[in-house]
Every structure is written in structure tokens, then in C-alpha cells.
Amino acid sequence: MSKAIPEPVTKLIESFSRLPGVGPKTASRLTYYLLRAPEETSLALADALRDLKANTRYCAVCYNITVEDPCPICADAQRDQRTVAVVEEPLDVLAIERTGAFKGVYHVLHGAISPMNGIGPDDLRIRELTKRVDKGIIAEVIIATNPGLEGDATAMYIQRELTGKGARMTRLARGLPVGSDIEYADSVTLTRALMGRGDV
Ligand SMILES: [Zn+2]
């Protein structure tokens, strides 16, 4: 980057650039916006960033991001603790919660198997899922990975891992467009996919 730009500015532009979906142009725009905005704006952002890691953790049961451990969903006695939806990302939990159609609990993998990006089963929370199922309380595992190559590979791997452990295994009905993310699916489509889930 040009020497005409002071280092603190370059540093922030570079930090923003590392975020998903943020290109160098947006990173610069955000940085210069903060430079012009009142100091409180940057300080509030800095506080929020610091709190993000300091005040959140993984739920020891489902590995969703939470303030309290176990998370409110795992701790909720009204939820069906015997039905577990396995999702790739915390945002998928939000999408399914938005439908209001699911009363079970979750297991967040934090990604999908992707040999191209060097992500294998051990990089995901699959072993933790196996351990959960091994306890014998879970009656149904709904594999709700994204439709598409990586989601399918992950689903197949989980299926193999959990076979013979006594839990019914289902997968969301097709109907979610291939290559789309559950995170962005509309509630009607997602509810239909949940209701129409089939054994695998
Ligand atoms: Zn939890």
C-alpha cells in the first residue's frame, strides 16, 4: 500500500480486508468512514470487537456460540433434547430458529468437509457429535448441512460415523436449491425441507 497512507490507516484497511465478503475497496471505505466519524463510533466498535471474544464461548453441548454455557437452547427443558439438527454454521441455527418449526436442539460443526480448502473431518466438531450420540439419548439426527458438494460430503461422512449407533438419521428434503446456504433460505422453504426430511 502507498506510503502516502499513514500506518494506522493501512492497518485497519488490511484488517477489514481479511473479513469475508469485504474487498479492498469496501475496507478503505469503512476505514475512511471511521476516520471522519466521531471518536465514539470507533471506540464503540473497538469495545464490541473486544467483547466479542471475551464474552462468548462455545456451548459445551452443541458448540454454538453462546454467552452462557450450556446455551439457552441446550438448557431449555421445553426443547426436544432427543432430536438434533446438525448444521454447518451458527447462522444456520438462526435460520432454522426463524422458522419456528423446529423444537429440537442443534449441533454446530463450524464448517464442512472441503479437501480443496484443506478442511477434513477432524477440523469440524464431528467427533463431539459422535460422542453425543454415543450417550444414547439422541433418537434422531437431522443432517442439515448445506446442499452442494461440501455439504453432501460432510453428510455422508457423518452418516458413516453414526451408522449402527441406534439413532435414526435423516436429511433435509431436497427443495433447497443446490449451492444455496441454509443460512439464506427463506423460512417457508426451510420449514418444508424440515418437515419433508427423509431417512438416509
Ligand atoms: Zn448448546
Side-chain angles (χ1 to χ4, degrees):
M1 220 168 273
S2 161
K3 286 221 165 65
I5 305 170
E7 206 208 324
V9 178
T10 324
K11 250 172 85 180
L12 188 57
I13 293 176
E14 280 170 2
S15 296
F16 276 134
S17 301
R18 274 184 228 119
L19 301 176
V22 179
K25 240 187 196 159
T26 307
S28 300
R29 215 169 53 216
L30 291 171
T31 303
Y32 282 102
Y33 166 80
L34 287 169
L35 272 171
R36 281 188 296 263
E39 198 178 352
E40 298 92 82
T41 310
S42 340
L43 290 181
L45 180 66
D47 279 350
L49 287 173
R50 201 171 308 112
D51 285 356
L52 181 68
K53 280 292 200 176
N55 296 334
T56 58
R57 67 210 77 228
Y58 291 122
C59 170
V61 182
C62 71
Y63 294 91
N64 200 358
I65 309 284
T66 180
V67 176
E68 284 130 41
D69 183 17
C71 74
I73 295 177
C74 289
D76 188 348
Q78 309 283 65
R79 308 279 306 213
D80 171 14
Q81 304 283 339
R82 294 165 50 84
T83 305
V84 178
V86 180
V87 297
E88 293 180 20
E89 302 291 346
L91 285 172
D92 301 332
V93 173
L94 276 183
I96 296 178
E97 284 298 287
R98 264 200 308 269
T99 68
F102 182 64
K103 296 293 171 233
V105 292
Y106 297 92
H107 191 91
V108 183
L109 298 171
H110 293 281
I113 294 173
S114 172
M116 240 171 59
N117 296 310
I119 300 169
D122 289 342
D123 300 310
L124 310 171
R125 300 286 187 176
I126 294 179
R127 212 173 303 146
E128 289 84 348
L129 174 66
T130 311
K131 274 192 202 143
R132 243 178 121 178
V133 173
D134 275 336
K135 287 185 184 147
I137 298 157
I138 292 162
E140 181 183 353
V141 176
I142 305 168
I143 304 175
T145 51
N146 289 327
L149 232 65
E150 297 179 356
D152 286 346
T154 311
M156 257 148 68
Y157 183 88
I158 291 173
Q159 211 178 306
R160 265 203 316 270
E161 284 297 295
L162 300 184
T163 296
K165 291 188 183 290
R168 180 187 171 200
M169 271 185 283
T170 55
R171 180 116 200 245
L172 291 188
R174 303 277 156 187
L176 294 166
V178 171
S180 73
D181 282 0
I182 286 173
E183 162 188 353
Y184 301 119
D186 67 275
S187 288
V188 176
T189 310
L190 198 47
T191 304
R192 216 175 282 149
L194 261 170
M195 294 306 154
R197 66 186 186 263
D199 288 288
V200 290

